Amino acid sequence: FGFDYLRDNMAKSPEQLVQRPHHFAIVDEVDSILIDEARTPLIISAPDSEATDQYVRFSELIRGLSADTDFEVDEKQRTANLTDHGLRKLEKILNVENLYQQDYQSLHHLEQALKAQTLFIKDRDYVVKDDQVIIVDDHTGRLMFGRRYSDGLHQAIEAKEGVKIQQESRTMATISLQNYFRLYKKLSGMTGTAATEAEEFKKIYNLDVLIIPTNKPNVREDYSDIIYKTQRAKYGALVAEIQELHAKGQPVLIGTKSIEQNDVVGQYLKKKHIAHQVLNAKNHENEALIISEAGRLGAVTVATNIAGRGVDIMLGGDPQGRDPKEWNKEADKVKEMGGLHIIGAVRHESRRIDNQLRGRAGRQGDPGSTRFYISLEDDIMRIFGGEQVSKLMDFLKVPDDQPLEAGMVTRAIETAQTKVESFYFDQRKHLVDYDDVMNKQRQIFYARRHSLLTGGPEAVTAQVDQALEKEIDYLSNIYAASGINKTEADQIGKDFQSILPLDPRSADSLEKNLSGKTGEEVKEMLWKIILQARSAQKDHFGKEVLPQVERYVLLETYDELWMNHLDAIDNLRDGIGLRGYAQKDPLVEYKQESFSMFESLLSRIDSTVAHRIFRVQINVPQPVRRRSIERSSANSSPDSLLPGGTPAQTSIKNTSKLGRNDPCWCGSGKKWKNCHYPKLG
């Protein structure tokens, strides 16, 4: 829906519009869409320039750096920076005195190569498939085909993995999911895990969270977490429990955070000769089959978050195509053993994702049980505060393979998760604060564009005339009101020719007539010439075709300048944080600067349209049609019209100097002096 909204605001005709007005939305798995996905804005981009060999070059340079001395990685903030030692090392290799005084591109390639090497890990953040780098959604575990990281990061990862480096892209349209769903007058949704995020729903979307009781009483048993000092000890205990449950035939689902972790658990199970199925983004084609068998006797399934949200695992397996008696018998046996047992191989950054995994067991009143295994080496404990627990275990001299089950430890884990949730909430709030500024501009801009797209021919023509009038006003008023001298007349003549091309003789005549005139007289004279040219345009193109030409010029100008504006806003946002060093609020500064830039954008649209409208021509017809015209040319006059009342023509004139004997700019084939030559007077 979000991408449809953006495409609608890039449409070239009303027939291309697909989305209805935003009245009411009901969102399934609302916390996943409005919270988990909200950190990533929706972006439609177009190919820009070809990728350079710099990506490969800097990727090789970064591989030669040492993690101990040359760069520092902050996993919490997801940033990587060179140390002074690493900087000097690279400056020596590149033979430059100061890397930060080199061209911006070199620095950009370097930073993206460092990020790709240190922060983005294969089989966790992305997979390599069919010579392509495909992003893995860290919330759902699914591959996100067609999506790419921006700012050259995707190309840097492609260089790192040695696959074909795709073209760089340029942003054409963007909106955050938060602001897209706030377009709806009424918004609602449903999910099993919204209670922990009630504050965010209220603050950002003004939505209240209501808890509805389950259909049948929940009899699932959620055991306490078991904590180990090392990951090795954790995996050993986890596999031991799987072996014990598998031996008695109880189905087990092991939830992991990444494909990499999937493979680790899979290797442990192979060593113990435990038959199992692996489900992740690499083999998602078999998802339905694996899930349908996950509730059967003795089934062991290792899965990423693919098997979390929205997955229904039936005890006894899928009944379709099986004898009902046999299926009931197996289902009853599984229930006697305690139903499906869920093992979490790691705590996720959000409690909601853990709760989604727990929710695969004990559905609709069925029995079930869950347990999470944690080590102090897990990312969440390492990054977000496992120091206290680690100190306690060292103080108590707890052996590596001895588990710790204590209320303090469970509280420490919950505190760490709350910290993570709060950290990401701040990130999303920060995104929405900045995007709110852009959102107001987007709404004004898209409303103007939409009225232009759906408006009648008169409205389009009026907008072009208004743009021309503004430009003539500006041209007339920038020079002295007391009278225009020869130098100023020459400058006005040159500026006017950038709007309407004139031949040298006409240009000279115009400049002579301008000398000594007041601003008001200049305006009147220039506007008279423009009206003549507009009248000639109308005669040439016809009443039906001219508004289409005008609409095309306006839409192309809108889209091109909007893309430039998005690039400029991105650059502003990247550096605005530095204003904080001057004791200024970056958000306030961003609002002021972006407002000035938006005003400038709106004025540039009119100016650009005025400079383009007299230079546009209808393209040559399709080759097949042209051949048919050539065959019948003996029976037609040079001025014969193509379908739609448009004269055939061969080229587009785009020059500021036009001779009286040159072909007319309208494409009629006549000399300019015999066609649309302006009558100066």
Side-chain angles (χ1 to χ4, degrees), residues 5-69:
Y5 169 74
L6 293 176
R7 285 190 200 98
D8 276 2
N9 286 293
M10 293 162 57
K12 300 295 184 192
S13 69
E15 292 75 31
Q16 293 176 351
L17 301 176
V18 296
Q19 199 164 76
R20 292 181 291 179
H22 303 90
H23 294 304
F24 191 89
I26 303 173
V27 185
D28 191 20
E29 302 293 359
V30 68
D31 58 322
S32 172
I33 302 298
L34 298 190
I35 293 177
D36 295 337
E37 296 280 340
R39 272 187 295 159
T40 309
L42 302 174
I43 297 172
I44 289 183
S45 57
D48 189 19
S49 55
E50 286 292 338
T52 66
D53 59 355
Q54 295 288 73
Y55 286 109
V56 176
R57 183 187 174 207
F58 278 97
S59 183
E60 287 167 358
L61 284 175
I62 294 297
R63 282 197 196 100
L65 298 181
S66 163
D68 299 324
T69 57

Side-chain angles (χ1 to χ4, degrees), residues 109-289:
H109 286 303
L110 175 66
E111 287 175 351
Q112 297 297 37
L114 185 60
K115 262 190 194 177
Q117 198 70 39
T118 56
L119 297 173
F120 291 83
I121 297 168
K122 185 180 176 183
D123 290 344
R124 186 191 76 184
D125 300 298
Y126 63 88
V127 298
V128 176
K129 193 174 183 181
D130 302 329
D131 201 37
Q132 285 183 319
V133 170
I134 301 166
I135 301 170
V136 177
D137 188 330
D138 59 336
H139 299 295
T140 64
R142 298 183 185 279
L143 295 180
M144 299 201 289
F145 293 99
R147 290 204 190 178
R148 293 175 65 79
Y149 296 116
S150 57
D151 293 329
L153 178 58
H154 210 99
Q155 284 80 3
I157 295 171
E158 286 168 336
K160 169 189 167 184
E161 295 297 338
V163 301
K164 185 188 175 188
I165 299 173
Q166 305 288 334
Q167 262 186 307
E168 292 182 35
S169 59
R170 189 176 177 207
T171 302
M172 295 175 73
T174 176
I175 190 172
S176 68
L177 269 174
Q178 290 149 319
N179 273 321
Y180 173 69
F181 280 105
R182 284 157 75 190
L183 291 172
Y184 286 93
K185 290 169 188 165
K186 289 186 179 178
L187 181 62
S188 65
M190 63 201 83
T191 177
T193 49
T196 56
E197 310 296 340
E199 182 191 0
E200 185 166 348
F201 278 118
K202 188 66 182 171
K203 278 187 178 175
I204 292 181
Y205 302 100
N206 197 27
L207 294 176
D208 294 312
V209 174
L210 303 175
I211 297 172
I212 299 169
T214 54
N215 180 34
K216 293 180 181 177
N218 184 3
V219 295
R220 185 186 68 229
E221 259 191 277
D222 296 326
Y223 297 114
S224 300
D225 299 346
I226 298 182
I227 295 95
Y228 289 85
K229 276 181 83 171
T230 64
Q231 286 197 352
R232 188 184 182 88
K234 176 185 83 171
Y235 284 127
L238 182 148
V239 172
E241 184 179 3
I242 294 169
Q243 194 172 18
E244 183 187 329
L245 295 172
H246 180 63
K248 68 174 188 176
Q250 186 175 354
V252 183
L253 172 68
I254 303 100
T256 64
K257 192 179 176 185
S258 64
I259 299 169
E260 184 184 32
Q261 203 175 26
N262 249 11
D263 294 340
V264 170
V265 174
Q267 289 299 324
Y268 273 97
L269 293 174
K270 273 183 187 172
K271 284 179 185 174
K272 296 287 184 182
H273 305 292
I274 298 170
H276 63 280
Q277 292 285 349
V278 175
L279 175 60
N280 57 43
K282 283 185 172 178
N283 66 338
H284 64 97
E285 298 89 353
N286 304 323
E287 179 183 346
L289 179 64

Side-chain angles (χ1 to χ4, degrees), residues 22 37 51 71 89 99 124 280 314 381 461 472 514 603:
H22 303 90
E37 296 280 340
F71 57 84
K89 191 173 179 179
L99 196 58
R124 186 191 76 184
N280 57 43
M314 298 188 73
M381 296 303 288
T461 301
I472 296 299
L514 287 172
S603 62

Side-chain angles (χ1 to χ4, degrees), residues 2 19 105 123 127 132 160 186 305 399 447 483 535 540 550 576 596 617 643:
Q19 199 164 76
Q105 285 300 323
D123 290 344
V127 298
Q132 285 183 319
K160 169 189 167 184
K186 289 186 179 178
N305 294 344
S535 177
H540 166 60
E550 292 168 337
I576 203 74
S596 301
Q617 294 297 312

